[in-house]
Amino acid sequence: MKTNLVTTESKFLLLTLIAGLFGGCAATRPFSDVALGAGGAYLGRELSNGDPLATAAGAAGGVVVSETLHYAAKKQAEKAYATGYDKGKSDAVKQQYWLYVSMQKQRNQVNNVRLYPVQLPEQRIDGVTFQPSTKLLRIEE
């Protein structure tokens, strides 16, 4: 009696391992497509008792599930990128605002203010007589 040393489960695991080795670490999409496609084919074969059409449908279903998951992950990453981009723009505007506020505070701080009295004599301008007065001239340094 001849025994089959390689079972179906070990073929599946071997196929998945080979797909992982050829897929590489950075290319998760082909690896997950192959893995889920092979898993779907295995489930389709087991549930249909070896029907080739059900096996092919299971493989296609596994690939569709993999692509759906990748699409959802891509949409989530795009949404997170857009949110982070908007947050970065907002932070840049706030930083510019506080920079301007700081510059105005520094400009408005006066180290030394002196008031000089100025004597204005009596004058007549356009028929109006102004009495002599003293005005203070503010000098900021």
Side-chain angles (χ1 to χ4, degrees):
M1 174 172 212
K2 192 175 183 181
T3 56
N4 189 0
L5 294 176
V6 181
T7 63
T8 305
E9 289 82 13
S10 62
K11 286 180 185 177
F12 173 70
L13 291 174
L14 182 63
L15 178 65
T16 306
L17 179 63
I18 290 171
L21 291 175
F22 285 115
C25 293
T28 60
R29 187 177 197 142
F31 175 70
S32 64
D33 283 351
V34 168
L36 289 177
Y42 177 74
L43 285 175
R45 186 183 62 82
E46 288 295 318
L47 294 176
S48 70
N49 295 324
D51 182 21
L53 188 59
T55 303
V63 172
V64 167
V65 167
S66 173
E67 289 298 317
T68 303
L69 292 174
H70 280 288
Y71 176 78
K74 181 181 175 188
K75 283 297 181 185
Q76 183 65 26
E78 288 173 354
K79 183 179 177 183
Y81 177 82
T83 301
Y85 185 78
D86 291 342
K87 176 79 169 120
K89 286 193 313 186
S90 170
D91 287 349
V93 169
K94 288 177 189 174
Q95 185 179 22
Q96 193 70 26
Y97 169 78
W98 288 114
L99 178 68
Y100 284 141
V101 167
S102 173
M103 288 172 57
Q104 288 177 351
K105 282 182 180 178
Q106 290 174 1
R107 191 175 354 166
N108 291 337
Q109 288 179 352
V110 178
N111 293 336
N112 193 5
V113 176
R114 289 183 274 160
L115 300 174
Y116 288 104
V118 177
Q119 298 292 330
L120 299 176
E122 182 178 326
Q123 313 177 32
R124 184 169 182 87
I125 301 174
D126 294 330
V128 177
T129 304
F130 292 95
Q131 297 298 321
S133 61
T134 303
K135 299 291 181 184
L136 296 175
L137 183 62
R138 181 183 171 118
I139 305 293
E140 295 179 6
E141 294 181 34

